[in-house]
Amino acid sequence: MNEPAAPDMAAPAMAAPDMDALVGALLRSCSEHVLETMFFAAVFDNADPAASTGCERVVSRLHFHGKPSGDFEVDADPGIARSLTAGFLGLDESDVTPVQEDEVMAEFCNMTCGAALSSLGRVKYFNLETPETSRPHEFVPVVDGVRRAFLLEGGTLSVCLRVDFDRS
């Protein structure tokens, strides 16, 4: 006869593919929520994260430390960065400056990373460092983690989260 596990027993560690799927679903949910509520942008479909490699992108990334530590990266088509900035600031796209795009992409990075980390079950505490934004003409991902990409109106946006529960 199987006895139920004691309620205070820790669950066994998940296998990496299961954890990647869980983090991927979390990234989609958090990204979608932040995009819809703060930027008034809808996710239409999933996209291929590898498709942005070698393309012009607006990239923002940050490091976080604590329990857990890790990195978060977001990259977007330049037109998507402009559109998200206009939605976030309540401006016409023609009035958006590159500096505003950089600042708003950093804010999207910050909000989405914070939402994802706050939703993970094993988080004790974390501190987000200030995001850094760049505009590479040929994007190459820097963060090696769980990456998801989304199709928005007019282009794509990708997010990537690397979490290390064993390092602070």
Side-chain angles (χ1 to χ4, degrees), residues 23-46:
V23 171
L26 179 67
L27 284 174
R28 178 175 174 107
S29 173
C30 291
S31 297
E32 206 163 13
H33 179 74
V34 170
L35 285 166
E36 289 176 356
T37 60
M38 301 303 295
F39 295 86
F40 311 102
V43 172
F44 293 124
D45 204 352
N46 292 324

Side-chain angles (χ1 to χ4, degrees), residues 17-86:
D18 292 338
M19 183 59 84
D20 285 358
L22 177 66
V23 171
L26 179 67
L27 284 174
R28 178 175 174 107
S29 173
C30 291
S31 297
E32 206 163 13
H33 179 74
V34 170
L35 285 166
E36 289 176 356
T37 60
M38 301 303 295
F39 295 86
F40 311 102
V43 172
F44 293 124
D45 204 352
N46 292 324
D48 178 10
S52 62
T53 300
C55 298
E56 183 178 2
R57 306 295 277 177
V58 179
V59 180
S60 189
R61 72 180 59 88
L62 62 80
H63 177 74
F64 54 91
H65 53 91
K67 294 287 181 186
S69 63
D71 300 284
F72 189 82
E73 180 175 64
V74 57
D75 66 275
D77 289 324
I80 290 296
R82 179 169 292 278
S83 174
L84 292 177
T85 301

Side-chain angles (χ1 to χ4, degrees), residues 96-118:
V96 171
T97 68
V99 170
Q100 289 171 319
E101 290 174 12
D102 291 353
E103 290 170 348
V104 169
M105 288 303 294
E107 188 58 30
F108 174 79
C109 183
N110 196 19
M111 286 189 281
T112 307
C113 181
L117 290 176
S118 295

